Amino acid sequence: ASDTANKDLSIGYGVRGYPTLKIITNHGTSVRNYKGPRHAEGIVSYLKTQTGPPSKEITSKEFGTTFVDEYKNVIVGVFPNFDSEEYTNFTAVADEMRSEYVFMHTSDATFLPLKDVALVPPAVRLFKEFDNGFSDTKEFYVEALKDFVEE
């Protein structure tokens, strides 16, 4: 949008300079700053990661181990079923933070790499490259999950 021709639009979305890219989802109710590469192929690749479900399901031990090893820092929710309030809150946070973090979920904790500490669902494990390699939480309020991911 041109700042002169679409001033209200620019102000409404907080555009302060050009070029500015925004990711707008949920019929305009969710707006995120674009944080990906600035070349055509990179933009397309990045936007593909931003479409579809915000969290991908881990369906096997091999996939879980490979994915965690590949991304190093990944947030995995483990749920007994996917129709709970905990899962709904997890996916809401994943949708909001997907441009900065990788989210996965599973119903089977044995699909995750062993870290010498059993994970009893519902729970969220943040796999990371520092400290002891992971952190866990059982807090599922949206703000508590966001704080956990950002710490």
Side-chain angles (χ1 to χ4, degrees):
S2 164
D3 188 32
T4 55
N6 300 294
K7 191 171 188 168
D8 291 340
L9 185 64
S10 297
I11 291 170
Y13 285 109
V15 175
R16 297 191 174 141
Y18 295 92
T20 297
L21 298 172
K22 300 277 186 176
I23 299 172
I24 302 169
T25 58
N26 297 326
H27 306 288
T29 61
S30 176
V31 179
R32 297 187 311 271
N33 290 322
Y34 175 83
K35 296 181 180 179
R38 294 292 180 152
H39 56 87
E41 289 175 10
I43 291 171
V44 170
S45 176
Y46 179 84
L47 289 176
K48 284 181 180 178
T49 69
Q50 300 300 300
T51 60
S55 174
K56 301 206 179 344
E57 185 174 3
I58 296 173
T59 56
S60 70
K61 185 169 186 63
E62 179 182 57
F63 180 64
T65 301
T66 301
F67 199 88
V68 169
D69 288 346
E70 180 181 340
Y71 283 94
K72 305 299 182 201
N73 298 308
V74 61
I75 300 101
V76 180
V78 181
F79 306 94
N81 57 61
F82 301 139
D83 61 356
S84 65
E85 181 179 357
E86 291 92 351
Y87 177 73
T88 300
N89 289 350
F90 177 80
T91 56
V93 170
D95 190 46
E96 187 174 329
M97 302 179 84
R98 72 194 299 171
S99 63
E100 293 135 329
Y101 302 98
V102 175
F103 289 85
M104 302 290 289
H105 63 275
T106 186
S107 59
D108 190 340
T110 66
F111 290 167
L112 303 178
L114 296 176
K115 293 291 184 182
D116 298 327
V117 177
L119 190 60
V120 179
V124 174
R125 178 163 283 175
L126 167 58
F127 290 94
K128 52 191 176 178
E129 292 186 287
F130 49 93
D131 293 339
N132 62 351
F134 71 95
S135 294
D136 296 337
T137 188
K138 287 185 156 290
E139 293 289 327
F140 285 95
Y141 295 107
V142 170
E143 290 305 316
L145 278 171
K146 287 196 274 190
D147 289 346
F148 170 73
V149 169
E150 291 180 329
E151 287 181 358

